[in-house]
Every structure is written in C-alpha cells, then in structure tokens.
Amino acid sequence: MVPDSPAEALGAQAPALRDLIVEIVRARHALAAEAHLVSASRYAMGFGTQWRDLLDDTRDALRARGFRSCKLAPGGHEIPVVNDSMVYVWRVSNHPDAVSEFAASPTRKNGFTTPPLDPALWEPSLSEEQEATDDAPGEGELGPVLKAAGDSMPLVLVMVESTPRQLQSIEWAVAVLDGEGKVELRGQEAIWEPEPVADGTASGIESFDSGVPVAPKVEPREQEGSGPDA
C-alpha cells in the first residue's frame, strides 16, 4: 500500500529528516551558486549539474548516521533508505512537465519497482547522533517489519526549485507511477521557502483603505517681536 504523504512514509523520522534535507540542499545551492558566479558563465547549464551532488550529499549524510542505501540500475545512483522508503533529492528542471516526466529515464523508473532491502534488526534514528557501524545488531533488538513479497519501497521525492540567483523552494511528496509511466504526487508539502523581504520604507504607515484619517494638529505660532519680551 502506497503511503499518502511523506510523514506517513517516513514515520517518526520525518521531522528530523526534513531539517537535515533543508540543511543539505541549502549548503549545496550556496556552493553551486558561488561556482556559477566565479565562472562568469552566461548560461546556467553548469549550475544544473548539481543534481548528482544532491544525491551524493544526502546519501553521505544519512550513511554517516547509520542508514543504508540502494543502487538503482543502470545508472548506479545510490539512493538512501529511511524507514523502508527511498529518499530521492532532485533539482526540478525548468520544464512544465518535469515532475510528470520524472521517470522518463530507466534509472529513475527503477526507483518505483525497487523491493525493500533485507530486513535489518537495528534501525538507526535521526533523533540522536549515531555513528555508522558494521557490527551486527544484538539479540532482542527490533527492526523494520518485513514487507510482503512483491512490494516495492515508497519513493519520497524531494523537489528543489532554484536558479543561480536564488533557492526558491524545497518541497517533498510521495511519488507514484501511473499506468502510462507518468508520475503523480501524494501529500505534496513545502518544507522550506525563502522568507519574504520586508519593505522598510513602509513601516509604521497605516493603509488608507481602512480607518479614519487623523488630521495633523496645527497650533497658531506667535509672530516674532510680538511677545512681552520684545
């Protein structure tokens, strides 16, 4: 059964994973934007190549915390697995059908048919800092429930929209492949957006569309030389 949202797919790991992904994406965007600026290129094609770094950065950050990954053929991209769900961080291209055509490549298409990993008796947690270990889990430790044969792991798609000038948004959703090979999103949610820039010139000034205007108080001023001390 396909979950209806990233929170359902990721369970208790969702809040901490959300913060970690935002940190990873913002750091990578800053590096890519700086590289684009230094290159003085008139074109953003080089900026768009960060897609592979986003995958590797996310995999490395989660691997350092003890999470496993799966390799998608034929491209060989390693996608981290959290709570038996794949987490694919992707910079959306500037095309109106980019999301629906996400599975156009054979590698990405295989992300929708990947079976669960071999069950692990020890499941890492993002709520505490843990180091990756190759040691076998101790007896009595519980792990993820083995899914039914024939099931595939849910794919949580993290969509990054950006230009060399600005990181515009980070959203995530559960991606589902329909019968025509098009991708649909479930539970799409923005997990980061830039803060609005406040216009300091308008601070303290009330709008004219409501309330009653207050006329300035005017007091008569004595003419110079007309006072008692003149």
Side-chain angles (χ1 to χ4, degrees), residues 90 92-102 161 182-183 185:
W90 173 57
V92 182
S93 61
N94 187 20
H95 189 277
D97 298 324
V99 174
S100 63
E101 299 289 342
F102 172 78
E161 295 193 1
K182 305 296 183 182
V183 171
L185 302 178

Side-chain angles (χ1 to χ4, degrees), residues 97-183:
D97 298 324
V99 174
S100 63
E101 299 289 342
F102 172 78
S105 75
T107 301
R108 291 176 181 171
K109 187 174 183 179
N110 285 336
F112 294 90
T113 57
T114 302
L117 301 177
D118 293 336
L121 296 177
W122 177 77
E123 177 74 1
S125 173
L126 287 168
S127 61
E128 299 178 359
E129 290 294 333
Q130 298 184 16
E131 296 182 357
T133 177
D134 294 329
D135 296 338
E139 293 182 2
E141 293 180 330
L142 300 179
V145 178
L146 179 62
K147 295 185 178 180
D151 278 357
S152 57
M153 286 188 287
L155 192 151
V156 176
L157 184 61
V158 181
M159 294 159 286
V160 179
E161 295 193 1
S162 64
T163 68
R165 292 186 177 183
Q166 183 187 34
L167 176 59
Q168 297 168 323
S169 68
I170 308 174
E171 298 181 326
W172 66 4
V174 175
V176 181
L177 199 63
D178 67 12
E180 299 179 354
K182 305 296 183 182
V183 171

Side-chain angles (χ1 to χ4, degrees), residues 19 44 74 158 160 188 217 229:
D19 294 341
V158 181
V160 179
Q188 184 173 358
K217 184 178 181 181
D229 298 332

Side-chain angles (χ1 to χ4, degrees), residues 65-87:
R65 290 160 173 80
F67 290 88
R68 298 181 295 170
S69 61
C70 63
K71 185 175 291 188
L72 299 182
H77 309 330
E78 291 189 55
I79 310 302
V81 175
V82 177
N83 197 46
D84 277 345
S85 299
M86 287 187 296
V87 180

